[in-house]
Amino acid sequence: MSGVWSRSRQRLAHVALATALGVYLYSPLGSVAAFELAVQVLVFPALALSGLLLWKGHRLRRWLGR
């Protein structure tokens, strides 16, 4: 798979995770305990990781030799 498609999929995942975080913050669903736990344990760490990969992923891929 080319780098363009890979980065496009990473960007799409980052936007989807950011949307889930926005729903948590700005809707009444934020008070649902299961949704709150999912955002704290899954969504926010994955959002941070995807942001770091979009920002510095080229250096990581170069360091890994890909």
Side-chain angles (χ1 to χ4, degrees):
M1 178 178 355
S2 71
V4 174
W5 283 105
S6 175
R7 187 162 171 88
S8 178
R9 289 191 353 194
Q10 286 177 352
R11 190 178 300 122
L12 182 63
H14 186 75
V15 169
L17 290 166
T19 302
L21 184 63
V23 167
Y24 167 71
L25 291 174
Y26 295 111
S27 77
L29 288 176
S31 62
V32 176
F35 189 62
E36 182 178 359
L37 181 63
V39 167
Q40 290 175 354
V41 174
L42 298 174
V43 173
F44 188 74
L47 182 63
L49 182 62
S50 69
L52 284 172
L53 284 174
L54 284 171
W55 180 43
K56 292 290 184 181
H58 64 284
R59 286 189 179 206
L60 179 66
R61 282 186 289 279
R62 186 173 38 187
W63 184 70
L64 291 174
R66 293 183 178 180

